[in-house]
Amino acid sequence: MSASLRDPSLSVPAKPPRGDRAGSLGLARNLGLVIALIILCVVGVVSAGDRFASTDNLLTILRLAAVIGVVSIGMTFVITGGGIDLSVGAIVALASVWATTTGTQAMADDIGWVAMVFSAIVVGAVCGTINGVLVAYGRVVPFIATLAMLASARGLAEIIADRKTQIIRNQGFLDFFGAEPLGIPVIVLIFAAVTLAGWFLLNRTTFGRRTFAVGGNPEAARLAGIRVQRHTVYLYALLGATCGIAAVMIMSRTTTGTSTHGNLYELDAIAAVVIGGTLLSGGRGTIVGTLFGVLIFTTLTNVFTLNNLSTSAQAVAKGVIIVIAVLLQQRIANRKT
C-alpha cells in the first residue's frame, strides 16, 4: 500500500477539488452572479429610487444578509460534503432561547456577556454533532435526520421559553454587538470574518480537500484513507456552530431570544448556496458564490419590500430561482459527462 493511502494528509481525492479555485468556470459563474446582483440593484434604483440607493438601506441589506449569510457559509460545507440540513432555523431558535434564559443571563452578569455567546455556539455545535452522528454512524438519510432535529429543536425551544419572548437585559452584550465601528455594524463585520475564515478553510486546508473528496466520491475518499464518517460529523458540527453564531447575531438585532427565530432559514440558506454554484449532489462548493447568493436573495427581498410586494410573492420568486439554478446545474453536469 502506498504512503498516500496510509496517510490521510497525503491523500488525493478521486476527483480534483472544484471550489473557488476552479479556474475559468468559477470565474464565469461568479461573473454571472455579479451581473445578476447589478441588475437587481438597477431594478431597485429604478423602482424605489433614493429609498433603495440610500446608505441606510445599504446597511439594512447588509444587516439582513449577515445573519443568514453566516448560516449559509456553514451550509456550504455540508452540501459540498454531500449532505443537507433542514434544521438550521430551529437550531438558531434553540440557541437564542438557551442563551437568553434567566440562568444564562445571570451567569453573564457574573462572568461577562461572553457566557451568552459561548452557550449559543455550544448549543448549536451540539445539535449539529447529533445530526452528524445520526447521518454518519446511524446511517439515517440526512433529510430525515435533520427533519427530526428541526421538530425537536423547535419544540425544545418552545418548552424552555414557554412560548414567550425572552428579553436580553445584559447591557454589555447589547453595547458590543450594537456598535458600529467606522459606521459598519458589528454583525456585518462578523459575517465578513466568518466568510473569510470559511473560504480559507474550504480552499486552503486539508479539511477543505477532504470535504471535496467526501462529497465527490465517499467510497474513493475512504479508500484514500479519509475517515468519511468522522469528517461528516465535523461538517455538521461546523454548521451547528455557525447557527450558534447566527443566533448571537439575531439576538443582538432583536434584543430577544425566542422560539420563532430562524423561521425558514433552511430555505434561504440552501437557496443561497445553490444559487452560488455549490452542487446539491456534493463534490463542488464555493464560498464566494455563496456570498453572492446571499446578497442576491437579500437584495431581492429588499426590493420586494420597498415596492410593497407580499411575502408570498417573495416566496414564489425564491422557489422559481432555486428550480432554475438546479436545472442549470444539471445541464452543466450533463455536458461534462
Side-chain angles (χ1 to χ4, degrees):
M1 184 177 293
S2 65
S4 63
L5 295 181
R6 291 194 303 269
D7 186 357
S9 66
L10 298 177
S11 61
V12 178
K15 295 180 180 180
R18 295 177 294 175
D20 294 323
R21 302 170 292 157
S24 59
L25 177 61
L27 290 175
R29 182 173 61 244
N30 291 334
L31 180 60
L33 294 172
V34 171
I35 293 174
L37 182 59
I38 292 174
I39 291 174
L40 269 178
C41 290
V42 171
V43 171
V45 171
V46 171
S47 61
D50 291 339
R51 289 184 300 153
F52 178 84
S54 67
T55 302
D56 288 342
N57 189 60
L58 174 60
L59 292 177
T60 298
I61 292 175
L62 291 177
R63 287 191 186 96
L64 293 174
V67 180
I68 189 62
V70 168
V71 176
S72 299
I73 296 299
M75 185 71 79
T76 302
F77 281 87
V78 167
I79 294 180
T80 301
I84 196 77
D85 194 337
L86 303 180
S87 65
V88 292
I91 293 175
V92 169
L94 178 59
S96 75
V97 167
W98 199 296
T100 54
T101 59
T102 302
T104 305
Q105 294 202 59
M107 185 185 301
D109 291 336
D110 291 335
I111 64 176
W113 54 262
V114 176
M116 298 172 64
V117 176
F118 180 77
S119 63
I121 295 176
V122 169
V123 168
V126 168
C127 291
T129 300
I130 293 172
N131 281 336
V133 170
L134 289 174
V135 172
Y137 294 100
R139 299 187 183 279
V140 180
V141 177
F143 179 88
I144 300 300
T146 58
L147 188 63
M149 178 58 73
L150 182 156
S152 301
R154 187 76 70 178
L156 183 57
E158 291 178 351
I159 292 172
I160 294 174
D162 195 22
R163 297 192 176 185
K164 297 177 182 177
T165 299
Q166 299 177 162
I167 306 299
I168 297 175
R169 295 181 174 84
N170 188 286
Q171 196 59 44
F173 177 93
L174 298 176
D175 290 343
F176 180 84
F177 288 100
E180 296 187 0
L182 301 177
I184 304 174
V186 165
I187 62 172
V188 175
L189 296 176
I190 294 173
F191 176 36
V194 170
T195 301
L196 289 173
W199 181 89
F200 181 82
L201 185 62
L202 187 62
N203 294 286
R204 292 292 185 268
T205 67
T206 301
F207 184 89
R209 291 191 291 273
R210 290 174 179 172
T211 301
F212 287 118
V214 169
N217 191 326
E219 181 61 20
R222 185 186 67 82
L223 293 175
I226 298 174
R227 296 183 179 181
V228 175
Q229 291 175 312
R230 187 172 68 177
H231 192 81
T232 299
V233 174
Y234 289 162
L235 292 175
Y236 280 95
L238 176 62
L239 174 53
T242 61
C243 289
I245 296 172
V248 172
M249 296 164 71
I250 198 170
M251 285 159 50
S252 70
R253 275 185 50 215
T254 63
T255 69
T256 63
T258 172
S259 59
T260 60
H261 279 332
N263 189 37
L264 294 181
Y265 271 22
E266 51 276 356
L267 170 63
D268 292 341
I270 293 172
V273 172
V274 172
I275 291 300
T278 297
L279 286 180
L280 272 175
S281 57
R284 188 183 78 193
T286 161
I287 297 296
V288 173
T290 296
L291 171 62
F292 282 118
V294 169
L295 293 176
I296 286 172
F297 269 103
T298 307
T299 303
L300 178 66
T301 299
N302 183 261
V303 171
F304 278 14
T305 301
L306 290 178
N307 287 280
N308 297 318
L309 296 177
S310 67
T311 55
S312 300
Q314 296 177 31
V316 171
K318 289 180 180 179
V320 171
I321 292 173
I322 293 171
V323 170
I324 292 174
V326 173
L327 289 176
L328 288 175
Q329 283 188 359
Q330 291 178 342
R331 186 171 181 179
I332 292 173
N334 291 335
R335 283 182 177 180
K336 292 181 179 180
T337 58

